[in-house]
């Protein structure tokens, strides 16, 4: 039965939904959370605790602990208490063997004496053979939720990156006041609220705001103003999860049912931030303080006022704050029997509330506290005691509303590096200093009076506007003056725990950490809260610091009072609210680059691989040895898409100086029409790139880099000339130009058919560079290179012409047997020719000389300060380096797998690339080997993976293996 | 993503648009008389300052300029108001 | 059986005026060095100076992965020794270090990566360390949660599988070693900051702390990410180190679902399930120096995107806690262990980057021998500082993937 006529309700009792739980269907109403729907259906035990399998029930409604973490539609650890109920949801209790009500692991609760703080560290390892078995059991009992390894997440996830002048975190009265104040001058304001509605702690309360209105009416009034303001963007149901330097705020928002997204990640950059997150309640520490039926004041009150559910029939209150008295009065008026209210405070209560209690004949015990709750699965009885423990009284009840006081939600502040200081007056950790452009407002600051909450919000909002350059000085002064006339922070309760030993007083519900465990940890030398956390796990469960965050440091300080300890807050960490990976991933999708010839190659059966940012065709058949592709290049002609090659123009008065700085070769010697192969080293002389350079005109050069270096080449040039102030420009043509490599003895015949230039060996010799036009329309830059060891033309053309060029060449080459070859065939071809690929024939520490490329280095251009040459000079005489050598296997049919190592008693090197060569009918490769073993003819032993000590025999042979004179590429 | 860097060309931008280029160690030394140790000092050795240091950055996802800024390694924030040209 | 709750590493000792050796830093390498100095080298008059509390730095912030499948023959034996020490130490220290020998699966996403991994596998097998290459089908059998579909950014080609590796409870190692060191007489001084190192005539004479001066002929700096700064400030020696912030995070606890340490260089992520059931995952470092331990929004999002692809079930799981620590990176991804050069009695053990956890026991043991005898043990010789000026970088990194200010 719902209280369906309350003006404060956030449900719509006329719209129902059906949930499936524990083999039954439960009816909920629109606006219910999963937990409130189940509660309405009589569910009191929602799950079992981690270690002791204690029954756990509804304790708060904001998800500070794992009590109501349930599996919803296969998703584990869903906070039932603030997850909207949706029709057809399947709900399961967690950490139960059987059901939540009848869990046969419940006996664990009796074994707590076996599991003191840190018991894992001190047991299960003796004898050593015990541990592997124990480990399996430990894994099984640990963990809360269950998920299948092939679980597939459904739903839509989005992400947005709004910017704002002011971001206000918290949509209560303070936050709304701050947003309205900040927005007055027209600034762009964002307001984040975790609940699906604005209103905060005013939302469900009928206490008077002023003479005319109740608090909930005031909240709705403010909400209407906020929603009406054009320059305030409100994100409701959006929990703040992170706050970073420079006021970067992150949050995730739950989408409305049937909306465009299920959840979305929000990343906000704001000039100024107001934190008005308010307070949660500080759990009361007593025996069985987490028994189902024990709940916090706000939980009991909101169940009734927001969800229309009377949380029990007969309640005992043990509280330390006026909100407890207010709830007792209101719940009494709504029809609940209040057996007694025990207030920790001896005095200081609001006289109006005292009067209200008296009018309703609710007994009030001042200076009393709950000491123990009874009842196996639900509270049946409670013992109250005076604070020093001398007098006790027992009362029967089915609800124990328990709360020690309030705790400010300072998480966002500490994430932003605000320092917290313990304030003895309020009993809160309050910010001692706030970072620039950050403000705190509302009950978070200890204010409790409704007008003061709003006034502090307004002041913070105006200050935030000032951070954005608004001229609010006068308004700030007025708001500050107003706030100073309103009631200041109220005195808070000092009590940390009831006068009990604490064996079953839980300081952290999620990890089943008791007061006794904390004492044990401190006794063992874990004396600061962060260490206690690590040793006892308190505060490291699904709810993080929500439940123990305040009590742990307070209790630790009290227990060590003689050592002069002061309370030190524990560290808050991102995400402040646990957040789905799906939500963080948002609308993530793969981004890669495809060459202009991608579609054509796919049509031709290309097998693609991701190389860096690119997708490239690696094979053109299922035969990954590429025999046909290789032999066709050797015998006829092949065509390779080389568009991923880095391509650059370098021009300007100081272009030559820049080239001289980064290339080891001497670029003064460049002449138009000829290409120069050269390399770049890093400061250690290690080779980082190779490619060709062409002089196009005076002070105008064109050069290529390897695929992986294309993205960094411009940076590299500028980095190494950053102190020089040279005047040159570097333009990256990598995406603008495509490349087709036509290689093989028939290459000239193919190209001559379509080119408007003389391609004879005399007119365009090996090592030459020409510009001409293909079929009267496609301008190409052509280079005669020999990477694969055959007559070869590398054609660079605008990307938009590439498809056309490819088709022209394919048609022209048909009679000569042209076909595609891929990256792996190229790899084999160039290996036979002993042309290196950096990163394959080199490791990080391989220098120019190690690779036998010393001939590229012009040693006489010292004035150019060429990058890497100092190191090369210093290391030239070092005999103890790895050198690149050619190797030939004794067995011509068996090449070692790449990455195999060369060994004798120790490792002497490794195989970079080796293949059984179809062209040569030998098995050959290249290896990096210690210099003393690099001499021709040296016998090598190759150790492959899984070889069981059976090594392969090889010897060092001259390079290259194929066409050593280089005649074929000069044809 | 909270670091922002002020590019002399593009202004204050998200730090992830930039590439770090090392502590500012001054121009390349002349090669004459360079010992392995003095060269190693220039290339590899860092002061590892805990506090404000002058350092190189490149606006790699922007204009491509290299420039120096001052940044506090204890806060990961750019320190503005210090002269930023080398 | 649990009646006694005495301080694990003894009552707080007073600061003596003289020690035989002073160790700056209260992390794993320091504790291990102190433990072995006292236990194996007969030098128990040793002080550890920790500015915060023991295990405050990298020791308590790493994700506790252990393995011995490095690339070079200089490194593998050191890590193998460390791997072999876990069960021995569990017994010696009488403290359960909770070694979960689950094995490591290092995913490879291309033919080239498989070839690079083959070198590691061969090196391991040659040294008697178990390590294998797997194909995607074998991966799926071992770890059903892994997505071997070709429709992801970096489809999985294979993996390097290293069964002897796994995960240790890192805090247990800190506390166990502290317990063992204290039992052998080592003084652990927490909340004690070293402010200067004193030398005289090329020899170490003592350490200044904010609690007073200590005389000692030997000082070891092994303060994790703070080492390079300390050594530059107190000894005027610059090191080839960049101190970067490295981040990690855990999800909410789950029943067993992930059975190995799964890592991917391409996705820049690793993940494993802790004994508590959380999925611990991390790897990212912003590539600029920092002494902050601040996390970034950029990274937690990246991690979610990466894991969504190769461990897609995790999309239904929630991140719960994200933290950061310091990694002191060297140009060749190998540490610097050196001493007695040029100042007699001055030792350093740093540059461990993000792999200092897995090696701490073996490194500490050899450093103890180095400090006690004054001579560098064979195993540590390749790790000397001079290798950088001699252009003899270690080959731990296969290729220059990208350039950094260090190369």
């Amino acid at each position: 039965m719902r209280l369906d006529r309350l003006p404060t309700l956030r449900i719509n009792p006329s719209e129902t939904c059906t949930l499936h739980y524990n083999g039954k269907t439960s009816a909920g109403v629109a606006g219910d959370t999963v937990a409130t729907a189940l509660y309405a259906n009589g569910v009191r035990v929602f799950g079992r605790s981690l270690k002791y399998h204690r029954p756990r029930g509804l304790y708060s409604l904001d998800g500070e602990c794992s009590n109501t973490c349930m599996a919803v539609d296969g998703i584990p650890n869903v906070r039932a208490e603030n997850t909207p109920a949706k029709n057809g949801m399947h709900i399961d209790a967690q950490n139960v063997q059987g059901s939540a009500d009848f869990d046969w692991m419940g006996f664990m609760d009796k074994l707590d004496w076996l599991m003191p703080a840190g018991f894992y560290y001190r047991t299960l390892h003796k004898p050593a053979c015990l541990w592997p078995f124990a480990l399996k059991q430990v894994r099984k009992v640990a963990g809360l939720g269950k998920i299948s390894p092939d679980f597939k997440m459904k739903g839509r996830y989005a992400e947005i990156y709004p910017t704002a002048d002011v971001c206000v975190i918290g949509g209560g009265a303070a936050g709304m006041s701050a947003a309205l104040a900040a927005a007055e001058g027209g600034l762009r304001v964002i307001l984040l609220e975790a609940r699906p509605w604005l209103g905060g702690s005013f939302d469900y309360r009928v206490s008077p705001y002023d003479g005319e209105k109740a608090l909930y009416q005031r909240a709705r009034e403010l909400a209407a103003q906020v929603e009406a303001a054009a320059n305030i963007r409100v994100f409701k149901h959006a929990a703040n999860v992170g706050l970073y330097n420079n006021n970067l705020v992150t949050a995730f928002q739950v989408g409305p049912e049937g909306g465009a997204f299920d959840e979305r990640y929000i990343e906000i950059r704001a000039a100024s931030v107001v934190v008005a997150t308010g307070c949660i309640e500080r759990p009361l520490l007593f025996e069985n303080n987490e028994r189902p039926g024990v709940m916090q004041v706000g939980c009991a009150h909101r169940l009734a006022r927001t969800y229309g559910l009377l949380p029990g029939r007969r309640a005992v209150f043990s509280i330390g704050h006026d909100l407890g008295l207010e709830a007792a009065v209101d719940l009494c008026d709504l029809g609940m029997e209040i057996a007694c209210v025990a207030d920790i405070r001896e005095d200081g209560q609001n006289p109006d509330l005292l009067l209200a209690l008296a009018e309703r004949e609710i007994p009030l015990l001042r200076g009393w506290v709950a000491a123990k709750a009874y009842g196996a699965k639900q509270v049946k009885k409670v013992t109250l005691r005076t604070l020093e423990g001398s007098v006790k009284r027992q009362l029967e009840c089915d609800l124990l509303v328990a709360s020690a006081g309030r705790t400010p939600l300072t998480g966002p502040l500490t994430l932003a590096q605000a320092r917290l200081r313990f304030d003895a007056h309020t009993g809160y950790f309050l910010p001692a200093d706030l970072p620039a452009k950050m403000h705190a407002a509302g009950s978070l600051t200890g204010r409790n009076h409704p007008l003061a909450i709003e006034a502090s919000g307004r002041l913070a909002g105006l200050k935030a506007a000032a951070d954005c350059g608004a001229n609010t000085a006068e308004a700030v002064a007025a708001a500050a003056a107003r706030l100073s006339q309103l009631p200041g922070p109220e005195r808070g309760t000092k009590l940390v725990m009831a006068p009990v030993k604490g064996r079953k007083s839980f300081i952290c519900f999620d990890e089943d950490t008791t007061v006794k465990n904390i004492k044990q940890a401190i006794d063992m030398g874990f004396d600061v809260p962060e260490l206690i956390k690590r040793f006892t796990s308190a505060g490291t469960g699904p709810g993080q610091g929500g439940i123990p965050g305040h009590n742990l440091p307070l209790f630790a300080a009290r227990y060590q009072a003689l050592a002069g300890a002061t309370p030190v807050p524990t560290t808050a960490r991102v995400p402040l609210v646990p957040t789905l990976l799906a939500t963080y991933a948002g609308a993530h999708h793969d981004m890669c680059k495809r060459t202009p010839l991608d579609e054509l190659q796919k049509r031709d059966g290309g097998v693609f691989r991701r190389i860096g940012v690119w997708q490239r065709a690696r094979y053109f058949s299922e035969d990954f040895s590429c025999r046909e592709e290789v032999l066709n290049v050797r015998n006829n002609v092949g065509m390779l898409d080389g568009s991923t090659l880095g391509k650059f123009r370098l021009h300007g008065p100081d272009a030559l100086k820049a080239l001289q700085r980064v290339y080891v070769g001497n670029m003064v010697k460049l002449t138009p029409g000829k290409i120069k192969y050269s390399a770049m080293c890093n400061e250690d002389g290690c080779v980082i790139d190779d490619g060709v350079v062409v002089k196009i005109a005076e002070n105008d050069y064109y050069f290529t880099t390897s695929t992986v270096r294309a993205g960094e080449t411009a940076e590299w040039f500028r980095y190494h000339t950053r102190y020089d102030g040279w005047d040159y420009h570097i333009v990256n043509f990598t995406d603008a130009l495509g490349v087709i490599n036509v290689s093989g003895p028939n290459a000239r015949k193919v190209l001559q058919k379509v080119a408007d230039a003389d391609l004879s060996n005399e007119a365009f010799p090996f090592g030459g560079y020409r510009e001409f036009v293909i079929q009267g329309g496609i301008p190409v830059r052509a280079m005669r290179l020999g990477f694969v060891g055959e007559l070869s033309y590398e054609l660079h053309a605008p990307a938009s012409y590439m498809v056309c060029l490819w088709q022209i060449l394919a048609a022209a080459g048909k009679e000569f047997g042209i076909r595609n070859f891929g990256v792996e065939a190229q790899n084999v071809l160039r290996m036979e020719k002993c042309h290196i690929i950096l990163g394959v024939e080199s490791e990080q520490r391989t220098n120019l000389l190690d690779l036998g490329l010393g001939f590229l280095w012009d040693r006489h251009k010292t004035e150019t300060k060429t990058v890497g040459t100092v190191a090369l000079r210093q290391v030239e005489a070092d005999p103890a380096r790895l050198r690149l050598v050619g190797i030939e296997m004794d067995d011509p049919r068996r090449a070692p797998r790449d990455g195999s190592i060369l060994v004798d008693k120790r490792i002497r090197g490794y195989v970079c690339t080796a293949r059984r060569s179809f062209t040569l009918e030998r098995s050959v490769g290249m290896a990096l080997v210690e210099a003393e073993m690099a001499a021709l003819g040296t016998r090598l032993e190759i150790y492959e993976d899984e070889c069981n000590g059976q090594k392969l025999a090889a010897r060092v042979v001259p390079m290259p293996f194929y066409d050593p004179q280089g005649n074929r590429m000069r044809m | 993503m909270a670091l922002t860097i002020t590019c002399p060309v593009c202004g204050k931008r998200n730090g992830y648009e930039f590439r770090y280029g090392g502590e500012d160690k001054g121009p390349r030394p002349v090669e004459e008389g360079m010992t392995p140790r003095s060269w190693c000092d220039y290339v590899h050795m860092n002061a590892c300052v805990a506090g404000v240091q002058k350092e190189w950055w490149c606006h790699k996802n922007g204009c491509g300029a290299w420039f120096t800024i001052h940044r506090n390694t204890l806060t990961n924030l750019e320190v503005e108001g210090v002269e930023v040209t080398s | 059986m649990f009646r006694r709750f005495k301080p694990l590493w003894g009552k707080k000792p007073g600061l003596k005026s003289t020690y035989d050796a002073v160790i700056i830093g209260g992390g794993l390498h320091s504790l291990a060095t102190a433990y072995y100095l006292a236990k194996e080298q007969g030098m128990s008059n040793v002080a550890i100076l920790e500015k915060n509390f023991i295990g405050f730095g990298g020791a308590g912030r790493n994700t506790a992965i252990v393995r011995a499948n490095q690339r070079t023959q200089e490194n593998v034996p050191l890590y193998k020794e460390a791997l072999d020490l876990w069960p021995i130490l569990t017994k010696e220290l009488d403290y359960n270090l909770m070694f979960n020998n689950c094995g490591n699966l290092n995913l490879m996403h291309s033919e080239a990566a498989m070839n690079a991994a083959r070198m590691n596998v061969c090196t391991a097998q040659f040294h008697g360390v178990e390590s294998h290459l797997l194909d995607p089908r074998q991966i799926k059998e071992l770890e059903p949660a892994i997505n071997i579909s070709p429709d992801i950014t970096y489809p999985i080609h294979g993996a390097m599988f290293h069964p002897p590796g796994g995960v240790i409870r890192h805090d247990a190692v800190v506390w166990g070693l502290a317990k063992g060191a204290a039992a052998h007489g080592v003084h652990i001084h927490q909340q004690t900051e070293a402010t200067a190192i004193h030398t005289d005539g090329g020899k170490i004479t003592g350490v200044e702390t904010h609690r007073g001066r200590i005389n000692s002929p030997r000082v070891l700096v092994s303060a994790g990410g703070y080492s390079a700064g300390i050594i530059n400030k107190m000894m005027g020696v610059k090191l080839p180190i960049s101190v970067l912030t490295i981040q990690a995070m855990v999800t909410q606890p789950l029943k067993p679902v992930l059975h190995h340490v799964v890592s991917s260089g391409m996705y820049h992520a690793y993940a494993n399930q802790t004994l508590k059931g959380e999925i611990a995952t991390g790897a990212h470092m912003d590539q600029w120096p920092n002494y902050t331990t601040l996390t970034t929004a950029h990274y937690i999002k990246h991690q979610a995107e990466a894991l969504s692809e190769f461990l897609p079930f995790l999309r239904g799981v929630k991140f719960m806690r994200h933290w950061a620590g310091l990694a002191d990176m060297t140009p060749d991804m190998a540490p610097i262990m050196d001493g007695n050069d040029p100042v007699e009695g001055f030792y350093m053990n740093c540059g461990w980057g993000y792999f200092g956890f897995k090696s701490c026991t073996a490194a500490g043991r050899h450093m103890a021998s180095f400090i006690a005898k004054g001579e560098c043990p064979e195993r540590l010789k390749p790790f000397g500082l001079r290798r950088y000026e001699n252009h003899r970088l270690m080959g731990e990194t296969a290729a220059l993937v990208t350039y950094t200010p260090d190369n």
Side-chain angles (χ1 to χ4, degrees), chain B residues 1-20:
Chain B
M1 195 191 272
L3 171 70
T4 56
I5 287 175
T6 310
C7 169
V9 181
C10 312
K12 186 185 277 194
R13 305 285 307 172
N14 182 342
Y16 286 95
E17 294 176 7
F18 299 81
R19 181 197 293 285
Y20 176 69

Side-chain angles (χ1 to χ4, degrees), chain A residues 75-78 95 113-114 116 120-126 131 135 139-149 151 153 157 159 161 244-245 248 250 265 267 417 511 520 523-528 530-531 534-535 537 540-542 544 573-575 578-582 584-585 588 590 609-610 618-619 682 684 688 712 715-716 839 842-845 871 874-875 878 880-881 897-901 903-907 910 943-946, chain C residues 1-2 4-9 12 53-56 60-61 71-73 90 94-96 98-101 111 115 118-119 121-123 125-127 131-133 144-145 153-154 157 169 171-172 175 190 251-259 273 275-278 294-297 300-301 304-305 307-309 312-323 331-332 389-395 397-403 405 407:
Chain A
I75 304 170
N77 294 329
V78 176
N95 211 37
W113 57 275
L114 262 173
Y120 283 125
Y121 306 119
R122 307 165 69 194
T123 55
L124 306 175
H125 62 292
K126 285 186 293 195
W131 174 239
L135 174 72
R139 283 199 74 195
K140 260 188 223 166
V141 298
L144 270 182
K146 231 184 266 179
I147 191 162
S148 156
F151 174 81
M153 190 71 172
Y157 297 85
E159 55 195 274
Y161 298 82
Y244 305 86
N245 269 346
L248 184 86
T250 61
Y265 172 75
E267 190 173 299
Q417 306 295 295
E511 297 287 333
Q520 290 164 342
D523 290 347
M524 291 176 75
F526 299 91
D527 50 2
V528 293
E530 280 305 309
L531 273 178
R534 289 184 190 184
F535 190 64
S537 299
T540 64
Q544 291 293 287
R573 299 207 183 272
V574 172
T579 306
L580 284 168
L581 267 80
Y584 266 122
H588 166 69
D590 173 27
R609 294 283 190 262
R610 175 111 181 196
R618 189 173 177 90
Y619 311 102
N682 68 9
D684 275 325
I688 56 150
E712 284 159 6
E715 271 171 49
W716 184 260
S842 69
E843 47 181 3
Q844 182 200 13
R845 56 184 172 171
Q874 288 172 359
V875 82
D878 186 351
R881 296 189 65 85
R897 292 188 282 270
D898 298 353
S900 300
I901 54 178
V903 300
D904 47 25
K905 288 201 167 53
R906 55 190 181 85
I907 299 172
Y910 69 97
Y943 183 102
E944 268 188 333
D945 53 321
E946 317 298 344
Chain C
M1 120 196 226
F2 298 114
R4 289 170 302 125
F5 289 94
K6 289 186 181 160
L8 198 61
W9 48 91
K12 280 181 188 164
F53 55 82
I54 56 166
F56 167 82
R61 295 165 193 268
R71 188 166 184 266
T72 60
Q73 58 190 339
T90 298
D94 187 16
Y95 208 66
N96 191 348
M98 292 190 243
F99 182 23
N100 179 6
N101 175 209
E111 284 91 343
N115 292 339
R118 181 167 294 111
M119 184 176 168
V121 167
C122 291
T123 304
Q125 291 182 357
F126 186 71
H127 285 92
S131 190
H132 308 283
L133 292 177
T153 306
Y154 304 108
H157 262 267
R169 176 85 185 122
D171 287 334
W175 301 330
Q190 302 187 94
T251 68
Q252 291 187 331
L254 304 164
K255 292 294 177 194
V257 60
L258 196 62
H259 308 292
Q273 190 166 21
L275 290 190
K276 286 184 69 186
E278 303 150 338
L294 301 176
T295 60
T296 64
I300 194 168
K301 184 162 196 332
E305 291 168 359
L307 294 171
S308 285
E309 293 205 5
F313 81 95
L314 284 172
R315 289 176 62 77
V317 178
K318 294 179 181 123
F319 278 136
M320 177 169 87
R321 187 166 67 247
H322 182 192
W323 70 92
D332 56 356
E389 62 191 55
N390 293 333
H391 304 284
R392 289 201 184 157
L393 269 57
M394 286 235 199
T397 312
L400 269 179
V401 183
T402 178
Y403 83 95
N407 60 50

Side-chain angles (χ1 to χ4, degrees), chain A residues 626-639 743-747 788 790-791 813-814 816-821 825 829 918-919 968:
Chain A
C626 302
R627 184 190 171 92
E628 296 301 319
E629 291 171 49
V630 167
L631 292 178
N632 195 58
V633 173
R634 290 278 181 248
N635 299 327
N636 298 313
V637 58
M639 203 160 49
S743 295
N746 292 334
V788 300
E790 301 294 341
L791 169 64
K814 202 167 182 188
F816 306 108
I818 200 166
R819 54 172 294 178
N820 298 314
F821 67 107
L829 290 159
F918 305 114
T919 315
R968 293 184 65 88

Side-chain angles (χ1 to χ4, degrees), chain C residues 300-375:
Chain C
I300 194 168
K301 184 162 196 332
H302 162 88
Q303 198 73 352
E305 291 168 359
L307 294 171
S308 285
E309 293 205 5
F310 73 92
L311 289 169
F313 81 95
L314 284 172
R315 289 176 62 77
V317 178
K318 294 179 181 123
F319 278 136
M320 177 169 87
R321 187 166 67 247
H322 182 192
W323 70 92
L326 303 182
D328 51 339
M329 308 301 295
T330 61
D332 56 356
M333 306 285 277
I336 299 164
M337 291 183 275
D338 212 332
N340 268 343
D341 175 26
V343 177
E344 193 180 324
F346 178 72
Y347 297 87
M348 61 179 115
N349 176 11
C350 55
W352 281 98
Y354 50 79
F355 27 85
F357 176 76
K358 30 194 145 290
S359 59
C360 66
T361 53
R365 192 179 200 182
H366 291 295
M367 280 309 293
S369 156
F370 195 171
I371 291 167
K373 300 194 174 90
E375 268 176 43

Side-chain angles (χ1 to χ4, degrees), chain A residues 122 187 266 273 374 404 480 533 549 646 666 703 712 736 751 768 959:
Chain A
R122 307 165 69 194
L187 294 173
I266 307 177
V273 166
Y374 299 86
K533 260 175 78 173
N666 193 345
F703 67 91
E712 284 159 6
L751 204 56
M959 299 193 282

